[in-house]
Amino acid sequence: MIFPLCLLFLFHIDAHAQISPGELSSSHAQLEGMSNCTKCHNLGHQVRNIECLACHEEITTLQKEGRGYHASSDVAGHNCIQCHSEHHGRNFRIINFNPKAFDHSKTTFILTGKHLKSDCFSCHKAEFIKTAKKNRSNNSYIGLLNACASCHRDVHNSTLGNNCDKCHDTNSFKPAPKFNHNNTFFKLEGAHSETACIKCHPIETKNNLPFQKFKGLKFNSCSSCHKDVHNGKFGSDCTTCHITESFKKIKNINSFDHTKTNYPLLGRHNEVQCKKCHTANYTAKLKYNKCGDCHTDYHLGQFLKNNVSEDCVSCHDVNGFNKTSFTIDRHLKNDYQLTGAHLAVPCENCHKKGDKWVFRPLQKTCADCHINVHGNTISKKFYDNGKCNACHNTGNWNEISFDHSKTKFQLSGKHSNVKCKSCHTGSKMESGIKISFKSGTECAGCHKDPHFGQFAKNGIVSCEECHKTDNWNAPLFDHNKASFRLDGAHKNVPCIKCHKEVIYQNNKYIKYKYDVVKCVICHS
């Protein structure tokens, strides 16, 4: 009985040695034992890939999906046992892999950019690996997906899809060098191409994390991003006037409808170039309530009221500065009212002094506009401060209303019908004729002495002792008051009998005065 038992024992040892060539590595230690052999071995055949992949499902998945080193030409189609042999003991390295010498380009994920500098296990760690071994708790070089989101948080929260390399590269997450805004629904042109992204794409909080919004923004109209400074006055289509190069640059400026603004262009303003008013830009606010906001005060403060200039519209309109709406009726309400011939006088005759128009202060006496043809020949008594209306009126300059009785020489007799200039003669001057009124009251001032000084006393002839102003008769002459009294027959003798016509120094006159009165002068 003992022998057979020994033989059985020996047979058992020999049989085990023949079936199991050695201990399994620690990775497969749980498969030790006769009952587990067929999990890896097909009796009568070598270890096949089918048995390996039945257990290592993650490798199967990678090869089917064409991912990872096991899907490369270096591995695909080869037997697993060529690289991963067994039964060499517990401490045998069934995976003989040197990470530092591994050529990552043999995988379907080529390392570029910052990935080249990354530690292997910064990516190949359990939390990133999505394989059949869902409960993997240790790091591994297989099972890592190629998608960026496998390792990196999708800061866009899937709003821009899963293909990160459309915009980003591996050198840096920011900026996104592959992104071309012109491939979006909103092409960047003009000043938009220089605008910082954050201006249009704000950072919000989503899922308690910062989130920059790139999709779902409104951009159908400019007002989606820009405030309508015109408050809808010009409609919602800003492109009818503005261009993206600059909001301050206007296109089709010549066709711009200015009537839509608060200041419609009328009259001569339609002919003014835009930049005459819009000196800086077209959006800058302009003052336009008063003409003086754009125009200089041509009158240099002549129309100030309470230190504030009257607006030009009180006299002018937009049809031309040279035209005025200041009427005669308005002039009648001023301190100086236009009457008579002044109504027909052009404004410039009084108000234009040289090259400038003068309205205020303006003198109001006649001499301020008219030359004083009388000079100093009229006493201030009748011509105070150059007030010509003491004699003249604005209807007709030659129509005189002077009261001569106020002078020392009252007009009577024939003098009442004599024209002024018959006595008040003038002298020529550059501006016309200077009329003299400071004349004497002697008759000889106007009349020639027909007696050639026979009746002069101390050089003065007093005609009024014999004559009146009615005619040249001498009704006041009394011969009895003369040196020769008429009496007797002398009373009836005609004057010519005694007073003969004589010629002296080529002057012919009647001799009334004799140095010696003798009878023989008349009687021979």
Side-chain angles (χ1 to χ4, degrees):
M1 295 293 293
I2 297 172
F3 180 74
L5 290 172
C6 292
L7 289 176
L8 180 62
F9 176 74
L10 291 173
F11 176 79
H12 173 75
I13 294 174
D14 291 340
H16 184 272
Q18 289 179 356
I19 295 173
S20 177
E23 284 186 324
L24 296 174
S25 64
S26 58
S27 298
H28 291 147
Q30 74 277 13
L31 297 176
E32 285 284 6
M34 296 289 290
S35 60
N36 292 324
C37 293
T38 56
K39 290 183 178 180
C40 296
H41 296 276
N42 185 10
L43 294 178
H45 298 281
Q46 291 182 344
V47 176
R48 297 178 301 177
N49 289 353
I50 189 170
E51 281 81 17
C52 295
L53 296 178
C55 184
H56 295 282
E57 295 177 1
E58 65 270 27
I59 302 298
T60 303
T61 301
L62 289 172
Q63 288 184 336
K64 285 182 179 180
E65 294 179 357
R67 294 189 297 107
Y69 176 66
H70 290 88
S72 68
S73 59
D74 286 4
V75 178
H78 295 276
N79 292 326
C80 301
I81 197 171
Q82 288 182 246
C83 295
H84 305 290
S85 61
E86 261 294 0
H87 296 288
H88 300 295
R90 287 282 190 269
N91 296 323
F92 179 71
R93 294 177 60 190
I94 191 170
I95 301 175
N96 190 20
F97 174 65
N98 182 3
K100 294 182 179 179
F102 180 66
D103 184 2
H104 212 286
S105 63
K106 291 183 178 182
T107 70
T108 51
F109 190 85
I110 300 175
L111 298 181
T112 57
K114 285 192 174 181
H115 287 158
L116 288 169
K117 301 177 182 179
S118 299
D119 179 71
C120 299
F121 285 111
S122 63
C123 296
H124 295 284
K125 52 186 176 180
E127 61 182 286
F128 292 162
I129 298 173
K130 312 295 182 185
T131 66
K133 293 184 178 181
K134 297 180 180 180
N135 296 322
R136 179 184 291 277
S137 60
N138 60 322
N139 298 336
S140 173
Y141 290 106
I142 64 173
L144 190 65
L145 297 176
N146 290 350
C148 300
S150 298
C151 298
H152 302 282
R153 182 176 71 86
D154 182 4
V155 296
H156 304 304
N157 288 340
S158 299
T159 58
L160 301 180
N162 298 321
N163 193 3
C164 302
D165 61 1
K166 281 186 177 181
C167 302
H168 302 279
D169 59 21
T170 57
N171 292 318
S172 176
F173 184 71
K174 293 181 180 180
K178 294 182 181 180
F179 176 71
N180 186 352
H181 214 291
N182 290 335
N183 293 330
T184 69
F185 292 109
F186 188 84
K187 294 183 178 181
L188 295 183
E189 297 174 342
H192 286 158
S193 59
E194 301 173 3
T195 303
C197 304
I198 195 69
K199 289 284 188 179
C200 300
H201 300 282
I203 295 178
E204 303 173 351
T205 300
K206 193 171 185 179
N207 298 328
N208 295 322
L209 293 172
F211 170 69
Q212 189 168 13
K213 191 173 183 179
F214 288 100
K215 202 168 185 179
L217 296 172
K218 293 182 179 180
F219 56 85
N220 293 329
S221 65
C222 301
S223 58
S224 298
C225 294
H226 302 280
K227 179 183 178 182
D228 182 5
V229 297
H230 307 302
N231 296 321
K233 184 181 295 182
F234 302 124
S236 58
D237 188 5
C238 304
T239 60
T240 56
C241 297
H242 300 281
I243 58 177
T244 56
E245 182 180 348
S246 172
F247 183 73
K248 297 177 181 179
K249 289 187 177 181
I250 309 298
K251 70 176 181 180
N252 300 327
I253 189 62
N254 294 326
S255 62
F256 178 71
D257 186 3
H258 217 284
T259 59
K260 293 181 178 179
T261 69
N262 293 331
Y263 191 83
L265 297 182
L266 304 173
R268 295 290 297 277
H269 285 160
N270 278 306
E271 304 170 12
V272 178
Q273 291 184 351
C274 305
K275 289 203 173 286
K276 287 287 186 179
C277 299
H278 300 280
T279 54
N281 52 66
Y282 294 104
T283 58
K285 290 184 178 180
L286 297 177
K287 291 183 178 180
Y288 54 84
N289 291 325
K290 290 186 176 182
C291 304
D293 292 331
C294 292
H295 301 279
T296 56
D297 183 4
Y298 177 83
H299 301 301
L300 303 177
Q302 295 182 52
F303 295 96
L304 285 178
K305 280 188 177 181
N306 298 324
N307 293 324
V308 178
S309 238
E310 290 184 54
D311 199 17
C312 307
V313 294
S314 59
C315 296
H316 303 279
D317 58 30
V318 293
N319 293 316
F321 185 74
N322 291 331
K323 297 178 181 180
T324 178
S325 60
F326 190 83
T327 61
I328 293 176
D329 287 339
R330 290 178 63 184
H331 211 299
L332 292 174
K333 297 176 182 179
N334 284 349
D335 295 336
Y336 188 85
Q337 297 184 5
L338 297 179
T339 58
H342 284 165
L343 290 169
V345 175
C347 305
E348 60 186 20
N349 284 16
C350 298
H351 293 288
K352 195 170 185 182
K353 307 296 183 182
D355 296 332
K356 295 291 183 181
W357 286 84
V358 180
F359 294 92
R360 295 177 184 173
L362 191 67
Q363 302 299 325
K364 301 171 185 177
T365 62
C366 303
D368 293 322
C369 291
H370 302 282
I371 295 173
N372 181 6
V373 296
H374 307 308
N376 58 355
T377 63
I378 298 179
S379 172
K380 288 185 177 181
K381 175 181 178 181
F382 308 108
Y383 185 56
D384 185 26
N385 294 325
K387 293 181 179 179
C388 302
N389 57 358
C391 300
H392 301 278
N393 61 67
T394 58
N396 186 347
W397 178 260
N398 293 324
E399 184 179 314
I400 309 301
S401 60
F402 180 68
D403 183 4
H404 215 284
S405 63
K406 294 180 179 180
T407 69
K408 294 179 181 179
F409 189 86
Q410 295 189 14
L411 298 181
S412 60
K414 292 287 186 177
H415 285 160
S416 300
N417 299 321
V418 175
K419 293 182 178 180
C420 303
K421 64 181 180 179
S422 296
C423 300
H424 299 286
T425 58
S427 59
K428 290 185 178 180
M429 52 190 296
E430 289 184 5
S431 58
I433 298 176
K434 179 179 179 182
I435 306 297
S436 177
F437 289 94
K438 279 189 175 181
S439 303
T441 58
E442 296 84 8
C443 299
C446 293
H447 302 283
K448 182 179 180 181
D449 182 7
H451 306 304
F452 289 94
Q454 296 179 67
F455 300 101
K457 294 177 181 179
N458 298 322
I460 298 175
V461 178
S462 299
C463 302
E464 66 272 10
E465 291 182 2
C466 300
H467 301 280
K468 289 184 177 182
T469 58
D470 293 331
N471 52 55
W472 279 113
N473 295 330
L476 301 178
F477 178 70
D478 186 1
H479 214 294
N480 291 328
K481 293 180 180 180
S483 59
F484 185 84
R485 297 179 67 180
L486 294 180
D487 52 11
H490 284 159
K491 292 181 179 180
N492 298 321
V493 177
C495 300
I496 195 63
K497 288 290 186 176
C498 298
H499 300 286
K500 305 289 184 180
E501 187 176 66
V502 298
I503 297 176
Y504 178 75
Q505 295 182 352
N506 294 326
N507 293 315
K508 184 184 292 185
Y509 62 94
I510 297 174
K511 188 172 180 67
Y512 288 103
K513 282 270 198 174
Y514 292 93
D515 295 333
V516 178
V517 180
K518 294 181 180 181
C519 296
V520 295
I521 295 175
C522 295
H523 302 282
S524 56

